Amino acid sequence: MKQFKINQNYFLLKNWWESINLTNYEKSFFNKEIIAFNQQLFRLKEKKIRIGTYGKSGVGKSYVLNSLFKKDIFKTDIINGTTREIQAEDWRLKDQSLKSIELIDSPGFDFCNIKSPDKIYSRINHSDLILFVVAGDINRNEVSEINSFIKDGKKIIIILNKINLLKKKELEEIIENIKIKLPNDLNIPIIINHANNLKNYLTKIINQYGETFLTLNSLQLADKLFLKIKEKRLQRRQQLAQSTIGKFSTIKASAVALNPFIFFDVAGSFALDTALINELSKIYGLNLKSESTRRIFKKISINNLSLGVTQIGINTSFNLIRKVILLTIPFTNGLSLLPYGPIAIIQAAFAVHSTKILGKLAAKEIFIRSKVSYIEPFVMIQNIIFKEPEIFNHINIYLSNRILNNNFVNYLP
Ligand SMILES: Nc1nc2c(ncn2[C@@H]2O[C@H](COP(=O)(O)OP(=O)(O)O)[C@@H](O)[C@H]2O)c(=O)[nH]1
Ligand SMILES: [Mg+2]
């Protein structure tokens, strides 16, 4: 049953990822992110969970990992900044459904001479679980680092290290103090690194929830990357859409201005508007059939009063010119361009204005209709039902922050 779930999620995610059809531009622009995500997908397929340590220099990150291995695998030192690079080791637990556990040691976040910080940040960011190591009460910088992980929707566990120098009473006081500084509704675990305490705790939660942590983190990372790709695509399309709308309003305005006697009529204007909607739909990757173009057009005209008013404005001013010209015919032998000039300018301005509004509304309508047909990672996350919701509080934070940040309307023309 458990096995089935992780495999199923892997195949859904893999199919979705293959459906994205990245352009060459996107492949090179997001090169590093794509590689990192492919590695995450591979880990999901292979059931290899990644646990990363994080914390200030000298709090004992390397020491904590060594105590899990019961061996000095990672270098520790009294001098700050012994660990200058990421180091990974496989940790094997008994009776686990996961294939292996990759433990990652990192330099302190406050250390100045970090080698390739981008790489380190990416590795920590791709950890399925973060052990945030502290030694005693936490300071402002640590609180701020913890909060940014929370905001990002990461699963963190606080590891309280260097407790052998403390009395029992002091230890209790410190734990209370740390709790006060953490968001109280999240139940972030605080685990003391003492004897087998941490090892037992990790063994238990990895056996119980390891697969879920790995799956959820893969889905989250997929979603984050997808948002970035979508944002970039929309930015490029926005530029294209804007220039297309500009082009169409120029055509319309010059048609109005150049043919004062033909009276660029509503039918001609409708043909241009329809062509504009079709062009925009191509930009947004949706080749509309004429029926749906008409539906979009209808919806926009009905729903948008200002557009309607502008259209009426154009027609009224057409009628006005007609009247003015007719009235002046007897006096000028039918040749009066004088009253026409200013009105033509107003009309051209109306034409530009209405085309711009139409273009904006049409782009929004088309964008709403152009949803991907594959199940998106975001939807997959939403569909997961948790038996122990308090363990997965970080997911709720992720989902709510994600909705706040996901305002694509800004990228429409
Ligand atoms: N007494 C004691 N010393 C510790 C403990 N944890 C770490 N240390 C020492 O603190 C120093 C820094 O530890 P290290 O693991 O290198 O810190 P890191 O920079 O966070 O990786 C080393 O000299 C460790 O031996 C602990 O629980 N008790
Ligand atoms: Mg270290």
Side-chain angles (χ1 to χ4, degrees):
M1 190 65 199
K2 247 181 162 184
Q3 299 285 90
F4 174 68
K5 206 173 117 191
I6 192 168
N7 285 341
Q8 193 191 30
N9 280 308
Y10 166 71
F11 282 112
L12 279 175
L13 196 57
K14 184 173 155 272
N15 285 342
W16 163 82
W17 183 229
E18 282 165 4
S19 79
I20 300 229
N21 284 328
L22 295 163
T23 63
N24 285 336
Y25 171 80
E26 287 163 347
K27 277 181 196 159
S28 78
F29 191 88
F30 293 110
N31 183 261
K32 278 183 189 152
E33 283 103 325
I34 290 169
I35 292 172
F37 179 69
N38 283 335
Q39 284 169 353
Q40 180 77 28
L41 254 188
F42 181 74
R43 286 201 294 105
L44 181 65
K45 182 183 169 208
E46 296 290 310
K47 300 193 182 83
K48 287 177 102 162
I49 195 170
R50 176 182 287 169
I51 300 178
T53 55
Y54 198 78
K56 271 192 318 183
S57 302
V59 288
K61 295 177 292 299
S62 310
Y63 181 93
V64 165
L65 291 179
N66 286 339
S67 61
L68 289 175
F69 281 102
K70 292 203 158 69
K71 246 198 252 171
D72 285 349
I73 290 184
F74 300 97
K75 236 172 124 188
T76 60
D77 208 323
I78 199 85
I79 312 286
N80 275 355
T82 312
T83 315
R84 297 189 57 184
E85 276 182 284
I86 282 273
Q87 190 186 338
E89 287 294 331
D90 273 5
W91 185 41
R92 300 216 164 248
L93 285 177
K94 269 187 204 152
D95 311 322
Q96 62 180 54
S97 54
L98 292 161
K99 214 172 243 168
S100 71
I101 299 159
E102 186 187 51
L103 288 175
I104 289 190
D105 192 19
S106 68
F109 67 77
D110 53 348
F111 183 55
C112 343
N113 289 322
I114 298 179
K115 260 191 181 175
S116 47
D118 283 355
K119 198 172 133 200
I120 289 165
Y121 179 74
S122 162
R123 289 287 278 277
I124 293 297
N125 212 31
H126 282 72
S127 297
D128 306 302
L129 207 64
I130 291 165
L131 306 180
F132 198 105
V133 183
V134 301
D137 197 8
I138 48 178
N139 69 19
R140 191 194 294 208
N141 292 340
E142 287 170 308
V143 172
S144 134
E145 293 291 320
I146 291 172
N147 283 333
S148 62
F149 279 130
I150 292 172
K151 212 174 129 209
D152 203 26
K154 301 298 294 183
K155 174 74 188 172
I156 57 166
I157 294 163
I158 310 272
I159 312 297
L160 181 52
N161 190 38
K162 297 200 180 178
I163 59 133
N164 48 0
L165 307 168
L166 301 171
K167 292 185 189 109
K168 197 172 172 245
K169 185 123 191 301
E170 292 170 322
L171 180 64
E172 281 166 9
E173 241 175 77
I174 285 174
I175 293 176
E176 271 318 300
N177 247 304
I178 294 175
K179 272 187 189 161
I180 291 168
K181 291 172 192 165
L182 299 175
N184 55 6
D185 50 342
L186 282 185
N187 291 319
I188 296 173
I190 303 173
I191 308 300
I192 296 162
N193 183 33
H194 175 67
N196 273 332
N197 194 34
L198 176 62
K199 187 173 183 167
N200 293 343
Y201 175 82
L202 286 178
T203 309
K204 199 174 139 227
I205 68 157
I206 289 167
N207 279 331
Q208 254 178 310
Y209 309 111
E211 290 189 5
T212 318
F213 286 137
L214 174 57
T215 309
L216 279 171
N217 191 41
S218 310
L219 291 173
Q220 272 189 38
L221 291 166
D223 186 49
K224 283 177 193 170
L225 180 55
F226 188 41
L227 286 180
K228 281 192 193 172
I229 294 170
K230 249 178 156 168
E231 186 180 20
K232 195 89 204 147
R233 282 186 181 178
L234 282 172
Q235 275 172 1
R236 301 196 94 204
R237 284 168 187 186
Q238 183 184 37
Q239 289 166 2
L240 261 176
Q242 272 163 350
S243 74
T244 305
I245 295 170
K247 198 176 78 193
F248 272 83
S249 46
T250 311
I251 294 173
K252 212 170 174 183
S254 41
V256 170
L258 291 175
N259 300 314
F261 296 110
I262 294 168
F263 294 116
F264 181 67
D265 54 20
V266 181
S269 148
F270 183 76
L272 267 182
D273 291 342
T274 308
L276 171 61
I277 292 178
N278 280 330
E279 281 296 305
L280 288 172
S281 83
K282 270 182 224 152
I283 292 169
Y284 286 94
L286 195 80
N287 278 313
L288 294 176
K289 294 198 181 90
S290 62
E291 183 50 36
S292 38
T293 311
R294 229 168 290 142
R295 242 180 285 134
I296 288 180
F297 195 76
K298 220 172 153 186
K299 190 176 172 200
I300 294 167
S301 313
I302 292 167
N303 289 350
N304 196 273
L305 198 68
S306 71
L307 183 64
V309 170
T310 318
Q311 296 283 19
I312 292 166
I314 290 182
N315 294 336
T316 323
S317 63
F318 274 134
N319 290 334
L320 189 65
I321 310 170
R322 211 193 300 254
K323 273 182 201 146
V324 169
I325 293 175
L326 284 174
L327 280 172
T328 49
I329 282 172
F331 309 103
T332 59
N333 284 329
L335 253 174
S336 170
L337 288 173
L338 225 102
Y340 179 75
I343 293 171
I345 290 167
I346 293 169
Q347 272 196 303
F350 267 141
V352 170
H353 183 62
S354 69
T355 308
K356 281 190 176 157
I357 293 177
L358 175 78
K360 277 181 191 183
L361 293 168
K364 193 175 172 188
E365 230 12 74
I366 292 163
F367 175 66
I368 291 166
R369 276 158 212 244
S370 64
K371 293 272 177 241
V372 269
S373 52
Y374 281 85
I375 306 172
E376 285 185 32
F378 178 61
V379 179
M380 289 170 70
I381 298 172
Q382 282 177 314
N383 287 344
I384 293 175
I385 298 155
F386 299 111
K387 279 187 209 125
E388 272 108 332
E390 69 280 359
I391 309 268
F392 302 102
N393 270 335
H394 61 289
I395 296 299
N396 295 331
I397 304 233
Y398 180 73
L399 293 177
S400 53
N401 284 346
R402 197 249 194 212
I403 290 164
L404 288 177
N405 296 333
N406 182 19
N407 191 5
F408 284 128
V409 178
N410 294 340
Y411 293 110
L412 292 174

